[in-house]
Amino acid sequence: MLNDAQIDAYLARIGAARPQRADLESLRLLQERHCLTVPFENLDYHLDVPIHMDLKALEKVVDQRRGGGCYEVNPSFAHLLRALGYRVDVLPGQVYRPDGPGPYLGHLALRVHLDEPWLVDVGFGRNSRAPLRFSDPGPQADAHGSYQVVRAEGEGAWGHDVLLNGKPLYRVDERPMEIADFAPTLWWWRTSPDSPFLQDLFCSLPTEDGRVTLKGDRLTVISGEERTTEELAGDEEVLAAYRKYFGIELDRVPRRPETGRPGIQTG
């Protein structure tokens, strides 16, 4: 359990006041602030830095003012929520990809128990900005689009499918697991040539009216209806973009080892 100093430091990191009670209104605010301040990024995969899922991941988010993938930021957020009085489960998920479903335990999401269970996710990249009802299969309006959480159907189906604007994002299981259960899958993400986190290099953060994404040396800024994309010239511009748009201080540019370039461009 986090102590008061750690709670205050985490809340300061995401720009949120300490909630008076562990209710839905406070949860909405905490998730929104987390989404708008903690980037979805995989830079350490290309800096040869270990990836942690325990309290060291929380130190990365809070003390280093970094972000991470679902295995890092969702467990960190769970630590904060539990320290504030919420009852939180860790749920395994399976990401839908263009070539089919990814591995089981390929995603880690949270379930928060209030008057009913709520899906909380701050580590997917296209996650909602607010908690989502498990009990409502209909569209749930969010700043990032229209989400649905529907019970999976078909022979052998399990869990719930999470959809954004009608397209499936991932399937989440109802059976809670421990953080340590994800260690083998983290090893796969960290080492396999087929790992999407090794095939691409990205840092992305939603804003109040859009999103900023740096993929390798390609910077894309979306603000309202406007979208601008530019290729950054050289390491200094890349490092400056990490500082300006994400508050990330790096002493070197992360590079994909097989190319030596800052990253590949996708999407």
Side-chain angles (χ1 to χ4, degrees), residues 96-113:
Y96 287 108
R97 303 196 175 279
D99 58 350
Y104 185 70
L105 278 80
H107 185 54
L108 185 159
L110 306 176
R111 178 173 57 200
V112 177
H113 297 271

Side-chain angles (χ1 to χ4, degrees), residues 24 27 87 89 91 110-120 131-136 140 149 160:
L24 179 59
L27 180 62
R87 185 159 64 96
D89 293 329
L91 301 181
L110 306 176
R111 178 173 57 200
V112 177
H113 297 271
L114 294 169
D115 57 325
E116 60 179 299
W118 294 82
L119 175 64
V120 171
L132 300 174
R133 279 188 168 89
F134 274 100
S135 61
D136 183 3
Q140 301 184 50
V149 182
H160 289 76

Side-chain angles (χ1 to χ4, degrees), residues 54-77:
D54 53 16
L55 287 174
K56 289 185 179 180
L58 186 145
E59 293 173 4
K60 175 183 176 181
V61 170
V62 177
D63 299 334
Q64 300 178 35
R65 304 188 69 82
R66 290 280 305 279
C70 64
Y71 290 177
E72 300 168 282
V73 296
N74 277 330
S76 296
F77 195 35

